[in-house]
């Protein structure tokens, strides 16, 4: 019998994003909790899988020999999209496929990247640089309002990997957005929060088995 996919992680945006994608694709997985506060990510068992000592880490014990180990949340999202063709990434229309990828990378590189760098700088006591990067990320989120002005989802009328990349980061930045007039992005955020894969993805790290 095939061993289920293992998802090492904790209740953080990057890990939840990976869990939401597996949930949405209907891929069975088992959660392996990593206690970041006690530094479990630096212990040998996790370092053997990801020498960077970070989570999420996904291990797929497929039949093809060596297990597949992925240690980037967004690679796990793309992996999940491959497991459920059409569900997370439209394939029939090349233009829709390209827009979904473009918006996925918009969030990965223009919002998640700067926002994580800002978090790092803050912890390095570089508050001014952190604020500059944070406001850059918020500025990009203002642009995302137009994505959902005329459609239900970030890349059109279908839920895609772009919604997954967007959700955890928009959700974690919602206090920065409170005063901003972004009615469509806020409506989208509420709808995403109620989506079953999102609810399950958030719960994944509350118990041992998802
Ligand atoms: N680019 C990676 C970032 C992974 C990352 O920064 N993980 C954080 C939790 S969200 C972590 O493991 N932090 C623990 C540490 O750095 O010691 C991804 O998207 O998966």
């Amino acid at each position: 019998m095939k061993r289920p996919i293992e998802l090492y992680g904790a209740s953080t945006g990057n890990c939840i994003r990976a869990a939401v994608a597996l949930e949405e694709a209907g891929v069975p997985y088992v959660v392996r909790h990593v206690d970041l506060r006690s530094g479990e990510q630096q212990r040998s068992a996790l370092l053997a899988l990801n020498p960077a000592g970070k989570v999420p880490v996904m291990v797929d014990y497929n039949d093809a020999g060596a297990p597949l180990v992925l240690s980037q949340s967004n690679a796990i999202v793309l992996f999940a999209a491959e497991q459920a063709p059409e569900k997370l990434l439209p394939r029939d229309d090349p233009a829709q496929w390209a827009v979904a990828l473009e918006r996925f990378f918009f969030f990965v590189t223009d919002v998640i990247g700067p926002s994580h760098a800002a978090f790092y700088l803050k912890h390095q006591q570089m508050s001014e640089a952190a604020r500059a990067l944070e406001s850059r990320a918020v500025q990009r989120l203002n642009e995302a309002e137009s994505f959902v002005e005329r459609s239900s989802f970030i890349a059109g009328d279908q839920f895609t990997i772009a919604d997954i990349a967007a959700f955890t980061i928009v959700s974690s930045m919602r206090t920065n957005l409170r005063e901003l007039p972004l009615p469509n992005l806020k409506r989208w955020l509420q709808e995403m929060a109620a989506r079953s894969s999102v609810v399950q993805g958030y719960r994944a790290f509350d118990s041992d088995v998802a």
Side-chain angles (χ1 to χ4, degrees):
M1 207 173 70
K2 194 175 183 290
R3 273 171 76 175
I5 281 174
E6 294 180 356
L7 184 64
Y8 290 77
S11 192
T12 73
N14 287 330
C15 297
I16 290 165
R17 187 176 321 114
V20 170
L22 294 172
E23 291 283 346
E24 192 70 41
V27 174
Y29 65 102
V30 171
V31 165
R32 301 282 180 235
H33 286 275
V34 177
D35 184 355
L36 297 181
R37 264 175 242 156
S38 72
E40 203 182 341
Q41 70 276 26
Q42 292 300 338
R43 296 201 193 122
S44 54
L46 203 275
L47 288 177
L49 294 170
N50 181 12
K54 290 190 183 291
V55 288
V57 176
M58 189 203 86
V59 187
D60 179 11
Y61 298 93
N62 52 43
D63 304 323
L68 170 70
V69 180
L70 295 177
S71 56
Q72 285 291 336
S73 57
N74 292 297
I76 300 171
V77 171
L78 288 168
F79 170 89
E82 283 305 299
Q83 307 304 304
E86 281 299 331
K87 218 172 164 197
L88 294 179
L89 198 51
R91 296 290 170 87
D92 286 349
D93 181 337
Q96 279 179 8
W97 173 83
V99 169
L101 279 175
E102 186 188 51
R103 297 198 175 158
F104 171 74
F105 285 112
F106 168 89
F107 282 98
V108 172
T109 65
D110 291 15
V111 187
I112 297 174
S115 163
H116 284 191
F119 180 78
Y120 172 77
L121 290 173
K122 208 159 148 181
H123 283 263
Q124 298 299 309
Q125 321 297 333
M126 299 165 83
S127 316
E128 206 177 315
R131 270 198 301 276
L133 266 184
E134 220 162 59
S135 82
R136 177 107 187 100
V138 172
Q139 212 179 329
R140 299 318 307 264
L141 277 189
N142 270 298
E143 292 167 40
E145 170 72 4
S146 69
F147 299 163
V148 280
E149 232 159 47
R150 274 181 291 277
S151 58
S152 309
F153 299 102
I154 294 287
D157 295 327
Q158 186 194 323
F159 179 92
T160 67
I161 57 171
D163 294 283
I164 299 177
F167 182 74
T168 47
I169 193 68
V170 176
S171 178
S172 77
M173 289 171 70
R174 62 188 181 281
T175 47
N176 306 59
L177 306 182
R178 205 179 289 142
E179 307 301 324
L180 301 174
L182 300 171
N184 294 294
L185 199 60
K186 288 173 187 172
R187 179 261 308 152
W188 167 87
L189 188 65
Q190 269 184 358
E191 286 169 9
M192 288 304 106
R195 200 175 169 91
S196 138
S197 63
V198 172
V199 173
Q200 289 303 115
Y202 269 83
R203 278 192 198 139
F205 295 97
D206 292 344
S207 63
D208 274 321
V209 180

